[in-house]
Amino acid sequence: MTNFNLTGYSYQYHENGDLTIEKGYIIKDQVINTPTNEAIQAIELISKANAYWNVTYVFCLVFFLLLFKNAYKPFRPEKNWKRYVTFYSIVLIAFLVWIISSQVTLTEQIATIINDLKGGE
C-alpha cells in the first residue's frame, strides 16, 4: 500500500540478495523474483516512477490549495478572475499531459525489462 506510483510497479529487497518486482496498484501480484544485480535497470525506472508520483502528489496539493484560496469568496481576486482560471487550467492541462506521457513511457520500459528478465515470455 505504501509503494504506490502511477506505473503500478514496485519492488522489495530480501535479505538473501533477491529482489521481488510486483505489479498492481492496491493488490500486488508478484511478477518476478530475481537477484538484485540483474534488475538494476528496473529498480532505477521504478524509483523514477516513485519520484514522479511524489512530484504529482505535491503539485496536486498546491494546485488545489491555490484553487480553493482563489475560489473562496473573501480571498478571490476581484480583478482578472477569468485570467486566473484560464492560467490554472492551462497549467493543470500541461502538467497532466506531461505526467501521463512520462508514466506511459516508464510503464512500457519497465514491462520490457521485466519481460527480458523473465526470458522473453
Side-chain angles (χ1 to χ4, degrees):
M1 291 287 287
T2 60
N3 294 333
F4 181 81
N5 64 51
L6 295 176
T7 62
Y9 287 98
S10 63
Y11 62 89
Q12 291 182 343
Y13 290 112
H14 300 286
E15 291 181 16
N16 62 359
D18 282 352
L19 175 83
T20 301
I21 297 177
E22 301 170 327
K23 183 176 182 180
Y25 294 101
I26 296 175
I27 299 173
K28 306 281 187 181
D29 295 324
Q30 180 176 337
V31 176
I32 191 169
N33 192 2
T34 184
T36 303
N37 60 353
E38 292 180 9
I40 296 296
Q41 289 178 326
I43 293 170
E44 290 174 354
L45 292 175
I46 293 170
S47 296
K48 192 175 184 179
N50 289 336
Y52 278 153
W53 170 246
N54 291 336
V55 169
T56 304
Y57 182 72
V58 169
F59 179 81
C60 288
L61 286 176
V62 169
F63 179 81
F64 287 115
L65 180 68
L66 290 174
L67 185 65
F68 177 73
K69 178 211 166 274
N70 287 329
Y72 188 59
K73 191 86 169 162
F75 298 125
R76 182 185 298 173
E78 295 190 19
K79 295 182 180 180
N80 303 322
W81 170 245
K82 290 183 181 178
R83 287 185 185 172
Y84 281 105
V85 172
T86 303
F87 175 74
Y88 281 127
S89 299
I90 290 171
V91 170
L92 179 64
I93 290 169
F95 180 76
L96 289 175
V97 166
W98 172 72
I99 201 70
I100 289 170
S101 64
S102 299
Q103 293 298 322
V104 167
T105 303
L106 277 174
T107 303
E108 290 171 354
Q109 290 174 345
I110 293 169
T112 302
I113 290 171
I114 289 174
N115 283 338
D116 290 344
L117 289 172
K118 288 170 120 180
E121 293 178 8

